[in-house]
Each structure stands twice: as structure tokens, then as C-alpha cells.
Amino acid sequence: MGNKQTIFTHEQLEAYQDNPFRQRIAQVFSQAGDGHMTLDDFLDMFSVMSEMAPRDLKAYYAFKIYDFNDDDYICAGDLEQTVTKLTRGELSAEEVSLVCEKVLDEADGDHDGRLSLEDFQNMILRAPDFLSTFHIRI
Amino acid sequence: MAQPRVLVLDVPEPPGDQDQEPSPYEESEVHDSFHQLIQEQSQLAAQEELELQQRQLVAGALGPPGSGHQTLVGPGGAPVHSTATLRILASMPSRTIGRSRGAIISQYYNRTVKLRRRGSRPLLGNVMRSARPSLRLYDLELDPATLEEDEKRSLLVKELQGLSVAQRDHMLRGMPLNLAEKRCLREKSQVQRGKWRGPQDRAGVFSCCSRLRYACILALHSLGLAVLSGLHAARPWRYALKQIGGQFGSSVLSYFLFLKTLLAFNALLLLPPLAFLVGVQAAFPPEPPGPAPAFTGLELLTGGGCFTHTVMYYGYYSNTTLNQPCVPPRHGDQCSPRASSLPYSMPLAYLFTMGAAFFITCITLVYSMSHAFGESYRVGSTKGVHAITVFCSWDYKVTEKRASRLQQDNLRTQLKELLAEWQLHRSPRSLCGRLRRVATLGLAWLLCLGTMLGCSVAVFVFSEVMIQSPVSAGQEVRLLALPLVVSLLNLGAPYLFRGLAALEGHESPGLEVYVAICRNLILKMAILGILCYHWLGRRVATLQGQCWEDFVGQELYRFLVMDFLFALLDTLFGELVWRLISERKLKRRRKPEFDIARNVLDLIYGQTLTWLGVLFSPLLPAVQVLRLLLLFLVKKASLMANCQAPRRPWLASHMSTVFLTLLCFPSFLGAAIFLCYAVWQVKPSSTCGPFRTLDTMYEAGRVWVRHLERAGPGASWVPWLHRYLVESTFFLFLASALLLAIIYLNIQVVKGQRKVISLLKEQIRNEGEDKIFLINRLHSIYERKERSRAGRNEEATMSPALHADRRDTW
């Protein structure tokens, strides 16, 4: 955010709102689950997305963000939604399903067709980039 | 049939209705359905037996009962589970993530207990990673009675109080609870501080001394907090880095962070010479050899002229002991030292300061490299690239709309490339295609190596020409010719390499980047090698009787300045002008990309020059610091105005490790070898500098050790240390052998860990299959139960009729 202005015009606000997961972030960090955050929730969010948060904590919240249907597993439908949001819908359906299939192949440890929290955390352990990408700079 | 073994689980009965569809939100349903299930199963088994007997009695054998064998239903075919099965599945421990705060609290209670019992940090293998509350631990550690959340919380607080402050903070930080809860837990666990209560308990009111003491402690505490927050806010370029990260992402940011790291290294390198050499020599200036020449602007470029006889270069430093002005009255007498003087031997100080500065830099570099390596390398990190791309590559730092669109485009391209690569693996090329590929690669590499050889030969020939035509006093501009040629070659060759890479057409973009870095690095190292030979081999020979160290120091200064000027020119033409051309003339909407690899290699090259030159010019790190500051401003301005983020994917953390490794291995190692050769083998010039009268620079140390030996038995451990550790080679062999043994052991340990990982993966897979089997079995049991219930209802309606029939038939 800029430190020179106090009033943002609508266009300026629009320019800051293009994270495809912004609604999921708001839903996950709000206590009521409907996207409305109190000050505590807001602080929570920035605390988790800061540099100092440990990896497991970040992985836990990332798992909740990517779990669109809130069933504590990232199933194929959740994966498809994630990939579509990441690429703005510009991959064909066949490519999306191929990517989801490969992701499940690689990350699903107990072969039940969906990713549990442990599978997700194991995969995050192998990705050292995660700490630097799941991070909002203040 | 034998009595089925009933597993007794001490979990309470569920309070609610059994027919309701439970939601995962209901915490009270956790863990109790297994008990219910097993009771039901045993009842069912007994009932089934009874029914079977009844049916056999009534209507003869009805036929084989439902098959007891279940085939493993794969996850692909979504089975329709009965409501009872769904209810059980909804209360599995793995489904209660994030719903049950009480479960999280009890989980962390258990972890804290384990931590306290162990007394130290638990081993990596024993730390449970997930927040999944385990059924087994729930039973072992807590009471069988259901604990309210408050009770669980108070238990956790009690356990936390038993930990040390650091461990408590670490535990609290990792808990997935919200901030208000964590704050509350921390406050509660901090309250019991015995020594704060002492005076209050004893006297009832605070005594005067303790009030004063508390006031001081509080003031210090708030001062410390203010300093910390001030430091945090005053981090250099905090806002600039945030802007860059927000607009261009982590990959471009890594270049600027690397620049900041180099600034820190140079500041570290500057401090010892500044304190021990420059300051002291400036306080005791030697006699100037002649009138100082006037300042013309050219000195800033050539480093000569009026800069020559200043603290900036080696030649200014004296070879005597300072602060001991001593004129012996008779030959052979000792001077009587004044009581207040501290003799300061400049040659010794020069040698030790340079050695210490390099040693500190080496340790810092190796430590940061190993730290970065530990962060970024993982066993098995090359597999799972699709999963990592999907989950870990969205950069949350990016806030601007345009940049975020670009990121989405990049991700789409990356995923498409990954799929294409996978399909290429599936359908390998024909023999003809492979031969053609090998031929193209071979040709490209031959051309590259030829270019490098050509550049090296050109530099060698030009340097020989420069030696043959000596430069007189007024023509110092001609000295700039060699730096100019080298910088031109360094500028032009990478563009040629980029063209060749486009010709080669690599499929994997990561490999392309590494190949480009490799080629540029070999070129730069070759040129630097030729230059080192030119300075230490040829220039020393031709400048006998003059101050060759000053000359080498000035050469390096010139190279640094010329490199900086060419970097500015490259930014101007490569980015600004190219953007104007591509927008106006070519009408393309894409801005030029910021070439990270080339810019980083330029930084590493500049740092190598600084390290090469610090022995001959103690103030060279200051020049480098200035250069880096200006470079940051220029690059940032040009980036914001003219460039866009690179299209190729960039693993930021891997790249930081690669940059640090390149800084350490070819760059620092080469500079250290150069330094060692200059100190141990080259004869210093006899007219200037602190080592004028000696055979090698290292001899100053040997002279001092011999002086200590003669001085008496007081400091005899220093000569002993010197003779047996530094001068003998046995100690070095022993140390290297030990190091090799440690490395070998570590490699074996890593191999063993890999084996363990694959075994564990196999085990997880088997457990998953077991789970599917059990779920299917559950489903079949409930289905049978439903069917039998339906059948019983039918029979109940049918049996009066049957009885009626029977009565009729009697």
C-alpha cells in the first residue's frame, strides 16, 4: 500500500484486488466463515502471512484456503477450481484434468484420491519456495 | 460362532440423536462412533445368526447370504454410502481439522507434555506434524471424562508454564489458533513469575529501592522495544523492495536482495582496514616523496594522479613501527621506549588485518551459503513438480493488477510447458531427431568455447601490447584502454550466447537459464585468469624498481569504474532505448525483460574485482559500496520505467542459493588463491609499502615470530604454534582427512534416510488401502443391516398373514 495517500479512489482499490484467492483468504481467516473480518482476524491473517510464521502454520492455512468445499480434504474438484483460478480459465478442460491427475499422482501418499493435510504438508516440505511465496510484505 | 472381541474404548456415549445427519462442526460427535459401531456390529452379528436360523426353520435354506467378501472399491467410482457410514466418516479424526479448537488445544497439550518430559528439543522424527488429534493419545494422557474446553486450556497453560521462554514462544507461534487465543494463553502462562512477587509479599508495599529498580527495568525494556521497532522500520529500502516485489514478483526481488547482501559483505570487509590501517596511518602520515600533483577530473577514472600517494593505495603505508619515534644515540643500543607509547608495527598490522578481513568474509560466506542450501535443498525435491507448481508458485506478494495478470499468464505457460515435457517423455524422439539434437548442441557449445577462447586471446594480446608501449606521465588516459576492451567483451559476448541459446532451442527453460549462467561465468573467469597472470606475472617483472602494487591497485580501481560505466550504458541502451524502439517503431506492447542472470553475474564479477584488489588498495571496498548504492538506484528506476518480469519461471529460493554458491566458489576462491600467491610467492617492491625490505609479504609474520622467540620464554606458545601448526604440513593433512571422513559419513546418512523415506511411503500406501477396505466393509455391513431391517418389517407384516395361512392350512 502507498504511504503517501489517505484516500483511495475506486480505480486504485481495484488495482490492488486481483489476487484470485482473495475471497477464500477472507473466508478462511474470518471467524464466522462468511468473509467479514474483525480486527483480530485481520491481525491473524497478517501474522500468518508474515515472514516469521513457521512453515507448518502456513501450510495449515494454505490447505484451508485451497480446500474450497471445506471438507478437510483437497479433492479433485478443489484442485480443478484451484488450477482454473490460477490460470484465469485459459487452459482447456482436458489440460486441467491432466494437471489435476498428475498432482494427485505426485502428492497423494495413501492413494485415496484426495489430499489430506499430511499429504499437503509433506509436499510443502519439499518446496522451499513456499515460504517466500506465501508471504505478504507490509 | 465365537464371541467377537469387543474393544473397550473409554469414550462417552453421544448425547444426541443417532438418526440425525451430523455436520463436521459438531465437536461432541468426535471419537465416539467407533464404540457404537463395534457394539452394533456384535449385535448385528448375533442378530444375523438368529435370523439365519429362523429363516432356515421357517422356509428352508433361502440361499447363500450376502457375500462376506468385499472387493476393494477404488476411489474412482464414487460409492454411495449409507447415512450411517457417512456419519462415521464425518467424525474421523482427520475430518476435525480446524473445526475443533478443543482438539487442537489437547493436541498441543500432548506435545508440550512430551517436550517437557524430554527436557530438550524433540528429534525431528518424533515431532508430529499434523494437527490431527490422535485417538490413542487422547486416551492415554487425559482423563476418560470429557473435558470442557476451559479445562483443556488450563491444562495446556500449566504445561506451558513449565517450559522455558524460548520453547514456549516457539510452541505458541506454531499453534493454528487465532491471535486472541494465543495472546490469552501467553498472558496466562507468564503470570507465575516468582521473583516479581517477592518484595511485595514481604513488605506489603513496594519499598523505595524496588520501585526504583522496577522503574529502571521498565524504562530499559521500553527503550529496547523502541530501538527494535526503529531498526525494523529503518531497514534500508524497505518500501522500495516492497514496491519491486509487488510489481515484479519474487524473482526480480531476489536480484535486489542479493545486491543488499553484497553491500553487507563489503561493509564487513571495509571495517577492519578502516580501523586498523587507514585510521592509524592517517594519524602518522609519512614524508611525501615530492609535491602532490593537482586534482584533475581524470583521477576519478584512472585512480592515479593525486590519488597515488594517499591512504588509498598500498604504497603509502610505512614499513616501520609507528608511535615509537626512536633515534638510538649509539649504534647497537636499544631505544628506551617512552612510558605512554604503544608501538604499532605497520607491516604486521597490514598482514594480520588483511588476513582477518578475508577470514571473516570466508566464514560469513560459507555460513550463509550453507544456511541457504539447507533451506532450499530437500531430499526428493525434484519430483512432484506439478504439485509444487500448482500450490507453491502463486506469489501472494504481487498486488498490482497488471502484475498479477502477468503472473497468471506465466503460470499458464509453465503448466503448458510441463505437460508438453511430460508428453515428450512419453513419446521419445526418433534416432534421427536425437542425432540432430546432439549435433546442434555440440555445434553451439563449440561456438561458445571458441568465442571464449577468442576473447581470452584478445585480452592477452592486448595486455602484451599495453606492456610493450609504456605510458608516460601525461598520457594516463591510455591506461583506460585495457579496461575498456575487457568491458566491451563482457558486454558483447552474452548477447552472442543468448542468440546461440535461441538457436539451440532448449525445451526446459530452467536448463536454459543454467546453461546461460555457466557460459557467462566461464567467460568471465577465463578473462580474469588472464588478467591475474598479466598483473602478478608480467607487470611485476616489468615494473622492477617502481611500485608495482600501486599500479595493480589502480588497475583494479579502473576496472571497477569502467565496469560501472558500462553497466549504466547497458541499462540505458538495453532497456530504455530498446523499450522506446519496440514501442514506437516495432509497435510491440511487450516491454523488454529484466535479465536476472546477466545482472547477477555482473554483480559477482564486480565483487571478485573488489576481493582481488583489497590487498593493494585497502579503500577499494568503499568504492564498491558507493558503486552498489548507485547501481541500486539506477537499476530500480530503469526497472520501474522500462521493464517487465521475465516470462520464464524462476525458482527464487533455488536461485538465491545458486548466486551465493557462485559468489563463494569461483569468485571468492579465486580471489583467495590470488591473495595467497601474492602473499607467499611474490617479492614485494623495494621502494614502497610496508613490506619493502622483505622477500615475501609473509616473511613479516616469520620475522615477528623469531623476534618473539628471542624475547624470552614468556610468549613461547606462539612460536611453538607457528612451527607445528602453520609451517608443518602434517596438521593440514590430518585436518583434510578428518573433513573427508565427515563428508563421507554424511553422504551415507543421507542415503540411509532416502531408503527410510521410500519404506515409509510404501507403508502409507498400504495404510490407505486398509482404510478403503474398512470403509467398504462398513458400508456393506450397514447396507446389510438396512436390508435386514427392511426384510424384518416385511416379515412382520407378512407373518400374521403367514400365521393366518398356516392356521388355515392346519
Side-chain angles (χ1 to χ4, degrees), chain B residues 543-563:
Chain B
L543 283 177
Q544 287 300 327
Q546 297 168 42
C547 202
W548 63 265
E549 290 100 344
D550 265 5
F551 184 80
V552 174
Q554 283 166 3
E555 277 272 271
L556 279 158
Y557 176 88
R558 285 193 282 267
F559 269 82
L560 267 180
V561 170
M562 197 54 72
D563 188 56

Side-chain angles (χ1 to χ4, degrees), chain B residues 573-585:
Chain B
F573 285 104
E575 291 173 10
L576 176 66
V577 172
W578 185 245
R579 174 183 73 100
L580 290 173
I581 289 178
S582 74
E583 270 183 7
R584 309 269 168 82
K585 291 285 167 57

Side-chain angles (χ1 to χ4, degrees), chain A residues 72-73 88 90 125 132, chain B residues 94-95 378 397 405 412:
Chain A
D72 298 327
Y73 286 106
R88 216 177 12 174
E90 287 177 14
L125 266 185
S132 68
Chain B
S94 62
R95 300 295 293 268
R378 294 277 182 272
K397 275 198 274 281
R405 286 277 156 90
R412 185 200 61 209

Side-chain angles (χ1 to χ4, degrees), chain B residues 346-643:
Chain B
M346 188 46 92
L348 215 56
Y350 203 92
L351 191 69
F352 282 161
T353 311
M354 288 300 166
F358 260 77
F359 188 69
I360 293 174
T361 311
C362 180
I363 299 280
T364 320
L365 204 54
V366 169
Y367 174 75
S368 27
M369 186 184 77
S370 67
H371 183 71
F373 196 69
E375 287 285 310
S376 74
Y377 178 72
R378 294 277 182 272
V379 175
S381 64
T382 44
K383 305 179 209 133
V385 66
H386 291 86
I388 290 174
T389 311
V390 168
F391 288 121
C392 306
S393 37
W394 180 262
D395 196 352
Y396 285 78
K397 275 198 274 281
V398 170
T399 49
E400 213 206 340
K401 194 165 190 154
R402 209 169 15 125
S404 137
R405 286 277 156 90
L406 191 68
Q407 206 181 358
Q408 283 171 323
D409 289 336
N410 287 352
L411 266 171
R412 185 200 61 209
T413 318
Q414 201 178 340
L415 284 172
K416 279 205 165 126
E417 280 172 358
L418 278 174
L419 285 176
E421 204 177 312
W422 178 68
Q423 273 165 357
L424 198 69
H425 276 299
R426 274 207 311 186
S427 53
R429 256 190 266 249
S430 64
L431 187 65
C432 199
R434 260 185 288 170
L435 273 177
R436 206 174 334 146
R437 178 115 194 90
V438 166
T440 326
L441 278 175
L443 188 67
W445 268 103
L446 263 171
L447 277 172
C448 284
L449 287 171
T451 319
M452 289 175 215
L453 198 65
C455 290
S456 317
V457 166
V459 169
F460 182 70
V461 164
F462 200 78
S463 64
E464 288 296 313
V465 163
M466 290 293 295
I467 286 188
Q468 301 302 339
S469 53
V471 170
S472 54
Q475 293 178 331
E476 286 184 349
V477 192
R478 289 179 52 202
L479 287 170
L480 289 174
L482 184 61
L484 198 77
V485 164
V486 169
S487 298
L488 268 174
L489 286 174
N490 273 329
L491 190 68
Y495 285 108
L496 182 67
F497 293 153
R498 212 199 286 184
L500 280 174
L503 209 69
E504 274 177 359
H506 280 285
E507 287 116 15
S508 147
L511 191 63
E512 201 180 307
V513 165
Y514 281 120
V515 164
I517 289 180
C518 203
R519 286 176 180 162
N520 280 318
L521 194 69
I522 296 178
L523 173 76
K524 289 191 155 73
M525 291 301 131
I527 291 182
L528 276 178
I530 302 266
L531 285 170
C532 287
Y533 166 72
H534 167 72
W535 289 322
L536 280 189
R538 304 283 289 123
R539 280 289 176 185
V540 173
T542 50
L543 283 177
Q544 287 300 327
Q546 297 168 42
C547 202
W548 63 265
E549 290 100 344
D550 265 5
F551 184 80
V552 174
Q554 283 166 3
E555 277 272 271
L556 279 158
Y557 176 88
R558 285 193 282 267
F559 269 82
L560 267 180
V561 170
M562 197 54 72
D563 188 56
F564 176 64
L565 288 174
F566 268 79
L568 287 179
L569 273 175
D570 182 40
T571 311
L572 195 67
F573 285 104
E575 291 173 10
L576 176 66
V577 172
W578 185 245
R579 174 183 73 100
L580 290 173
I581 289 178
S582 74
E583 270 183 7
R584 309 269 168 82
K585 291 285 167 57
L586 303 172
K587 301 287 185 206
R588 259 189 275 166
R589 289 190 51 222
R590 288 196 75 96
K591 290 185 175 174
E593 277 179 23
F594 187 77
D595 192 349
I596 300 175
R598 205 159 56 85
N599 281 304
V600 166
L601 280 178
D602 280 342
L603 282 179
I604 293 179
Y605 176 73
Q607 189 60 39
T608 316
L609 288 174
T610 313
W611 280 329
L612 287 173
V614 77
L615 181 67
F616 304 113
S617 168
L619 280 182
L620 207 61
V623 175
Q624 170 76 339
V625 163
L626 214 63
R627 215 179 76 111
L628 286 174
L629 285 170
L630 288 172
L631 208 61
F632 185 95
L633 294 168
V634 167
K635 285 285 178 189
K636 176 174 169 282
S638 164
L639 179 76
M640 293 295 187
N642 305 326
C643 296

